[in-house]
Amino acid sequence: MELERFKELHTRFFGKELPEEVLQSEEYEAYEAAIHENEACYNWAIVEKLRSKGFDSQNYCCLMMADKVYESLDSEGDIKYDDPEVIINKWDEGFYGIPVHNGSATMVVINYCPWCGTKLSK
Ligand SMILES: [Zn+2]
């Protein structure tokens, strides 16, 4: 899908309660597929989302990391410790870790980004 076409669909579909017939439509399916299969569309959608939330993605090695760190925070900007959806944490001290969901605040510190391989500076 062309990025321009994707942007158009994104404006129509994103963040809205969509009726079942829209969710079943070919247009919506193509939009969903583009998010997962088209890197340009995916990247654009992530940047758009983070920008609309006021989250600065500039300081991250890649968009995947920025998005996953964003997803790890609650509306106050604090780390969500008990959420099994959270797959990465970033601490104020500047290190990153993978949370172990065993009911405690255990985590495994990582030195490289799991998505782009960049060395994570401390
Ligand atoms: Zn990265």
Side-chain angles (χ1 to χ4, degrees):
M1 181 183 297
E2 293 289 319
L3 184 56
E4 286 313 308
R5 173 81 181 127
F6 178 80
K7 289 179 183 177
E8 207 180 290
L9 294 176
H10 188 79
T11 311
R12 276 168 51 193
F13 297 146
F14 186 72
K16 303 205 171 83
E17 288 269 341
L18 299 168
E20 197 57 31
E21 66 261 30
V22 173
L23 296 174
Q24 303 284 346
S25 69
E26 273 180 34
E27 269 190 328
Y28 187 79
E29 275 177 23
Y31 165 75
E32 280 270 273
I35 291 185
H36 296 109
E37 292 157 17
N38 184 314
E39 203 181 346
C41 295
Y42 173 81
N43 287 344
W44 181 84
I46 296 295
V47 170
E48 239 350 72
K49 177 179 101 178
L50 296 177
R51 203 182 51 192
S52 75
K53 307 284 184 187
F55 187 84
D56 184 8
S57 57
Q58 298 293 323
N59 298 327
Y60 294 89
C61 51
C62 60
L63 281 173
M64 199 70 177
M65 179 64 102
D67 188 42
K68 296 306 174 196
V69 170
Y70 171 75
E71 296 289 341
S72 76
L73 303 174
D74 64 18
S75 54
E76 311 275 291
D78 293 323
I79 291 173
K80 296 188 277 190
Y81 279 107
D82 294 328
D83 190 337
E85 305 266 308
V86 170
I87 57 172
I88 199 111
N89 288 142
K90 177 177 187 279
W91 275 264
D92 291 340
E93 293 81 4
F95 56 88
Y96 293 80
I98 297 172
V100 179
H101 297 291
N102 62 358
S104 73
T106 310
M107 59 122 186
V108 180
V109 176
I110 56 169
N111 298 315
Y112 294 87
C113 174
W115 295 285
C116 73
T118 299
K119 189 168 191 342
L120 302 166
S121 56
K122 201 181 127 23

